[in-house]
């Protein structure tokens, strides 16, 4: 089974049992936090898009908000696939101000929700610095595509965990001045 295989692989790591557990818990914790963060961001972005529909006189706000929320997992363009066409429809029907305003609202507020919330949500749950969450997410997207949303922060979290294990293991031979450099 999968759990047996995973345990066999973890047992092959040349580490103390508590260090093995630290690695597994870090990977699982970062992965859970990233997935939870992605879901919350999707809900927030979808709600922001959907709430604007009735204000602008458009129908189907709940449906299009849900679509924007699901599409929010597509990095960079997710919710834009809903608010840009809606803005174009508004402009095409003579509501130029509302259409341009909706697209600006989407570009400035909705699209930046990801940049603001992801570091806070993922970083808080993983005790990773906000900048590291942002950089590892962007790097993960560049290297792994959409899967990088989870893999990027997971790799960064594992790096920090290995760093912790290294410090614990070699603390008696490390330079005492270098010990404070991790903070």
């Amino acid at each position: 089974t999968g759990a047996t295989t995973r345990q066999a692989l973890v047992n092959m790591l040349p580490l103390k049992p508590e260090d093995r557990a630290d690695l597994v818990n870090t990977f699982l914790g970062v992965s859970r936090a990233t997935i939870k963060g992605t879901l919350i961001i999707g809900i927030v972005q979808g709600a922001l898009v959907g709430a604007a529909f009735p204000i602008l006189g458009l129908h189907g706000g709940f449906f299009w908000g849900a679509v924007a929320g699901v599409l929010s997992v597509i990095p960079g363009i997710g919710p834009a696939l809903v608010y840009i066409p809606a803005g174009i429809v508004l402009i095409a029907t003579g509501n130029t101000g509302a259409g341009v305003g909706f697209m600006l609202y989407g570009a400035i507020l909705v699209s930046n929700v990801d940049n603001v919330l992801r570091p806070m949500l993922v970083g808080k749950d993983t005790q990773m610095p906000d900048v590291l969450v942002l950089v590892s997410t962007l790097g993960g997207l560049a290297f792994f595509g959409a899967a990088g949303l989870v893999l990027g922060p997971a790799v960064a979290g594992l790096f920090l965990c290995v760093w912790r294990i290294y410090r614990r293991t070699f603390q008696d031979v490390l330079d005492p001045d270098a010990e404070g450099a991790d903070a």
Side-chain angles (χ1 to χ4, degrees):
T1 67
T4 306
T5 304
R6 183 188 66 172
Q7 191 58 47
L9 289 172
V10 169
N11 287 340
M12 282 195 261
L13 292 171
L15 299 170
K16 297 177 196 171
E18 60 270 14
D19 292 339
R20 285 186 207 140
D22 194 7
L23 273 175
V24 169
N25 291 337
T26 296
F27 179 78
L28 293 175
V30 171
S31 298
R32 280 187 199 113
T34 304
I35 292 168
K36 181 181 85 172
T38 300
L39 290 173
I40 291 171
I41 289 165
I43 291 168
V44 170
Q45 286 182 323
L48 288 171
V49 169
F53 268 65
I55 293 170
L56 297 169
L58 295 170
H59 299 290
F62 182 79
F63 172 76
W64 289 111
V67 170
V70 170
L71 291 174
S72 73
V73 300
I74 302 172
I77 61 166
L81 295 173
V82 173
Y83 67 75
I84 289 176
I88 292 170
V89 166
L90 286 167
I91 292 169
T93 58
N95 297 318
T96 305
V100 170
F102 190 31
M103 288 191 281
L104 285 173
Y105 164 80
I108 294 169
L109 182 66
V110 176
S111 292
N112 281 310
V113 164
D114 195 347
N115 300 334
V116 173
L117 285 183
R118 185 171 306 279
M120 290 189 315
L121 292 169
V122 177
K124 180 186 74 150
D125 286 353
T126 62
Q127 283 89 43
M128 287 172 49
D130 293 350
V131 172
L132 182 59
V133 172
L134 181 62
V135 169
S136 65
T137 300
L138 295 175
L141 288 170
F143 283 109
F144 304 113
L149 285 172
V150 175
L151 290 176
V155 168
L158 288 174
F159 171 78
L160 292 176
C161 182
V162 168
W163 191 349
R164 265 193 322 270
I165 292 168
Y166 177 82
R167 268 196 347 257
R168 270 195 314 259
T169 303
F170 297 104
Q171 68 186 359
D172 52 341
V173 293
L174 290 174
D175 181 16
D177 294 333
E179 213 171 303
D182 65 314

